[in-house]
Amino acid sequence: QSVLTQPPSASGTPGQRVIISCSGTTSNIGNKFVDWFQQFPGMAPRLLIYRSDRRPAGVPDRFSGSKSGTSASLAISGLRSEDEAFYYCAAWDDKLSGPWVFGGGTRLTVL
Amino acid sequence: ELQLMESGGGLVQPGGSLRLSCATSGFTFSACRMGWVRQAPGKGLEWVASINQDGRERPYLDSVKGRFTVSRDNSKNSLYLQMNSLRVEDTAVYYCARVDWYYGLDVWGQGTTVTVSS
């Protein structure tokens, strides 16, 4: 069982906006940044959002992250078929020496 | 181009050992913390271990403490994971990742598969 809680699945039609939630506690999300990763089957994870709401270079601005209290969200607007993948949230501490905790992952289906 | 390349995975019997390696290029390895993350078949991601720049700070997942050892060779730009007393539940794809102080787990290798089975 994962420390962070995500819905196992989400879906949307092309062009729609989809939101994936991630729930934690004051010991992780409540006091730490949240990262989001995208993973296609058989591939390595890719950093999608860091420090809760920032996008690395090359990530489309259709992807956005937010955090409030002990929960975080990943929003994907203008959904595209190539967004169909698994999405994982993770929380880390600012010393970068302690453990990361991950969510169980959300499988996004584009209908 | 930033690159991480894992190797050393394979099939091993319960109680056996394996040593994973992660060769890196395209960045100043000695200036970066590094980590190992694993993914069991059909499951989510799980952080395993990290190591700081000089190798003195090495936190581990509780279930691997005393069995796994993370190390690095800054002269070879390489990261290692020595896995002893392997268990069936250690079966997973093992990824090495760069731990950037600002971006977090920002660069990942392609993974190497470890299968523990009799």
Side-chain angles (χ1 to χ4, degrees):
Chain A
Q1 188 172 353
S2 301
V3 176
L4 305 181
T5 301
Q6 296 180 239
S9 63
S11 63
T13 56
Q16 270 192 329
R17 184 171 185 256
V18 171
I19 296 176
I20 297 172
S21 62
C22 175
S23 177
T25 68
T26 53
S27 66
N28 41 65
I29 292 179
N31 289 294
K32 302 179 179 69
F33 291 118
V34 177
D35 299 331
W36 288 90
F37 299 91
Q38 178 189 56
Q39 186 181 36
F40 297 104
M43 303 292 287
R46 165 200 182 195
L47 180 64
L48 204 61
I49 297 289
Y50 67 98
R51 295 205 164 212
S52 301
D53 60 6
R54 306 188 185 193
R55 282 186 306 276
V59 173
D61 60 6
R62 301 186 295 105
F63 295 90
S64 62
S66 64
K67 192 190 91 163
S68 178
T70 58
S71 295
S73 295
L74 172 70
I76 308 172
S77 59
L79 196 63
R80 304 175 70 164
S81 58
E82 57 260 39
D83 297 332
E84 188 163 289
F86 288 87
Y87 294 85
Y88 294 91
C89 61
W92 59 289
D93 76 46
D94 55 11
K95 289 182 65 178
L96 293 183
S97 60
W100 274 265
V101 288
F102 288 90
T106 298
R107 181 174 187 166
L108 175 64
T109 301
V110 181
L111 302 170
Chain B
E1 182 186 3
L2 286 74
Q3 280 197 320
L4 305 179
M5 182 74 70
E6 303 92 338
S7 61
L11 173 64
V12 62
Q13 292 187 336
S17 298
L18 276 178
R19 188 193 193 211
L20 306 185
S21 299
C22 174
T24 75
S25 61
F27 63 98
T28 305
F29 178 78
S30 60
C32 296
R33 293 175 182 260
M34 299 293 297
W36 289 96
V37 177
R38 69 184 179 183
Q39 186 170 33
K43 302 296 184 182
L45 302 169
E46 182 177 53
W47 169 85
V48 174
S50 301
I51 186 168
N52 74 334
Q53 291 86 336
D54 64 9
R56 294 183 183 182
E57 296 177 16
R58 296 184 287 180
Y60 295 92
L61 181 68
D62 282 349
S63 63
V64 309
K65 280 181 184 176
R67 301 189 298 122
F68 290 12
T69 302
V70 60
S71 62
R72 64 191 297 158
D73 186 336
N74 289 340
S75 69
K76 295 182 178 179
N77 297 328
S78 292
L79 175 72
Y80 306 100
L81 186 66
Q82 177 66 43
M83 304 186 296
N84 299 330
S85 303
L86 281 161
R87 304 169 180 169
V88 170
E89 54 265 33
D90 295 319
T91 294
V93 175
Y94 284 74
Y95 297 100
C96 67
R98 185 175 77 167
V99 183
D100 185 83
W101 73 272
Y102 187 75
Y103 297 100
L105 297 164
D106 68 335
V107 184
W108 296 63
Q110 87 291 346
T112 187
T113 301
V114 172
T115 303
V116 185
S117 174
S118 55

